[in-house]
Amino acid sequence: MKIGYRRLLRIFTAILSIFLLAISVSYVNHKIQLSKEDELFVPTGQLVEVNGHKMHIYTEGNGEEMLVFMSGSGTSSPVLDFKSLYTLLSDQYRIVVVEKAGYGFSEVTDRNQDIDTMLSETRKALLKSGVEGPYILFPHSMSGIEALNWAQVYPDEVKAIIGLDMAVPAVYENFDMNMSFVRLGAFAANIGVPRWIKNLSESDAIHYGTLTDEEKELYKVIFYRRTLTKDMVNEIKNSKANAQKVNEAGIPNVPMLLFSSNGQGTGFDEEMWIEIQNDFITRNSNAMLIELDSSHYVHSIKYERIAEESVKFIGGLRD
């Protein structure tokens, strides 16, 4: 019995040693690669200080209407993620991409990402960068909750919402994210595990969009720095409470155009996902839904259709 126990202990020790060695090799390699990539990690827009940390705001185009793009949870590079769509709109409108703390070129913090904090920091960043409302919001996924909250709290600042497969409060009614799994993913990202997994960094923006080769390379550089950051993890942790608060305040009285995916990548099947979206717009007399045969990142796949319908919708707001 003692011999068997000792043999088992040696095997376990050997496995643990190999595991720790693999972690060390991955971490060292990650740090070396980050150092080499520093020269590429250069903000394309403006950095403004908000509550002691820097946030990145990118602007492009001209026009009377101000279109504000708000990224979904965990999107490493919002500026590049939305590019295929906003380049089709910036000849007629002024577009703005807000990168929250822990996203894109914005600094990583350890702040609590509750709905009030996120909205406050987004508004401060816009104003500090000289971007004033009213705004037409383009939220993707989880940022739909933020956009609805914005329209609830500051109705004069939100002219309309154009949802890019945006989440609505009902999405989170039975939401039960395994935070242990999320934190494990964050640990893996911090030690560079994603670098060893082929094609993991190739987002839909890279695969389907109109990014140049240089922009695709930059996206990957940002991905390795901005995957499951502290801010992203805190945002996920607060998502259910954030949605509940927005739900209790009711649907804001603002014109809405929602583009819905086929549910792929949302965690819901197509029938349930469309049902949730339809139920939401039926409670707003000034809302409409356009269904797209696309997975969750609709703006990276169906950007031409979305741009065309958005122009029509925005034109109707002036009538």
Side-chain angles (χ1 to χ4, degrees):
M1 292 293 291
K2 289 184 178 180
I3 295 175
Y5 172 77
R6 289 173 180 172
R7 186 174 297 167
L8 184 62
L9 183 61
R10 286 198 297 270
I11 293 173
F12 174 77
T13 302
I15 293 174
L16 180 61
S17 298
I18 293 171
F19 178 70
L20 293 175
L21 177 62
I23 289 178
S24 299
V25 169
S26 182
Y27 179 74
V28 171
N29 174 69
H30 184 47
K31 290 300 181 182
I32 292 173
Q33 297 306 318
L34 287 177
S35 179
K36 291 180 179 179
E37 294 161 355
D38 277 343
E39 62 183 22
L40 298 176
F41 189 69
V42 179
T44 55
Q46 180 182 2
L47 290 174
V48 296
E49 187 168 321
V50 177
N51 296 334
H53 62 91
K54 293 179 180 179
M55 288 180 63
H56 184 241
I57 303 293
Y58 177 83
T59 60
E60 180 180 306
N62 298 287
E64 295 180 6
E65 305 291 0
M66 190 73 68
L67 315 185
V68 178
F69 289 78
M70 306 165 67
S71 71
S73 175
T75 299
S76 300
S77 176
V79 167
L80 294 176
D81 185 66
F82 287 121
K83 188 175 187 292
S84 298
L85 176 57
Y86 67 64
T87 52
L88 298 179
L89 298 168
S90 59
D91 59 337
Q92 299 183 59
Y93 314 106
R94 190 175 181 193
I95 67 93
V96 186
V97 182
V98 181
E99 294 193 323
K100 293 178 292 187
Y103 286 73
F105 294 108
S106 294
E107 290 183 341
V108 177
T109 76
D110 57 1
R111 294 175 63 82
N112 185 36
Q113 293 297 75
D114 60 84
I115 196 77
D116 296 325
T117 297
M118 290 189 290
L119 176 57
S120 173
E121 294 197 342
T122 292
R123 293 178 66 249
K124 286 180 181 178
L126 287 172
L127 293 176
K128 281 200 169 187
S129 62
V131 178
E132 299 181 356
Y135 310 108
I136 297 175
L137 307 181
F138 278 70
H140 172 239
S141 194
M142 192 182 287
S143 66
I145 301 299
E146 300 167 50
L148 293 172
N149 180 243
W150 199 337
Q152 290 168 342
V153 181
Y154 301 100
D156 293 340
E157 294 182 5
V158 180
K159 189 171 184 179
I161 295 175
I162 298 180
L164 305 173
D165 210 32
M166 77 178 209
V168 299
V171 169
Y172 299 95
E173 285 183 0
N174 298 310
F175 183 72
D176 187 22
M177 175 59 71
N178 187 331
M179 290 308 300
S180 296
F181 182 76
V182 172
R183 292 188 178 95
L184 179 61
F187 172 76
N190 286 333
I191 63 173
V193 171
R195 292 184 183 273
W196 304 98
I197 303 175
K198 187 177 181 181
N199 299 328
L200 188 61
S201 64
E202 296 204 358
S203 65
D204 285 345
I206 291 177
H207 192 68
Y208 299 104
T210 59
L211 300 181
T212 64
D213 289 341
E214 291 77 13
E215 288 167 339
K216 291 177 181 179
E217 186 63 28
L218 177 58
Y219 199 115
K220 294 178 181 180
V221 166
I222 298 171
F223 172 82
Y224 293 129
R225 295 167 184 258
R226 297 293 186 264
T227 295
L228 284 178
T229 61
K230 292 179 182 178
D231 301 282
M232 294 176 184
V233 172
N234 286 335
E235 183 180 357
I236 294 170
K237 182 179 68 175
N238 284 304
S239 57
K240 189 166 185 173
N242 288 340
Q244 184 176 350
K245 182 172 182 177
V246 171
N247 186 51
E248 290 172 353
I251 298 177
N253 184 25
V254 59
M256 296 185 198
L257 171 62
L258 305 188
F259 293 97
S260 179
S261 74
N262 57 20
Q264 184 179 346
T266 67
F268 293 83
D269 60 37
E270 181 172 5
E271 183 178 355
M272 178 60 71
W273 185 249
I274 297 298
E275 182 181 329
I276 290 173
Q277 304 289 328
N278 272 313
D279 179 67
F280 178 79
I281 67 165
T282 56
R283 292 182 284 132
N284 182 347
S285 59
N286 201 6
M288 63 180 293
L289 177 71
I290 296 178
E291 298 178 26
L292 301 173
D293 184 16
S294 165
S295 55
H296 189 42
Y297 278 75
V298 293
H299 50 280
S300 294
I301 303 171
K302 299 293 185 179
Y303 44 88
E304 292 180 340
R305 172 79 187 281
I306 292 173
E308 179 185 353
E309 296 291 348
S310 295
V311 169
K312 292 179 186 177
F313 176 75
I314 294 170
L317 297 174
R318 301 168 184 164
D319 297 338

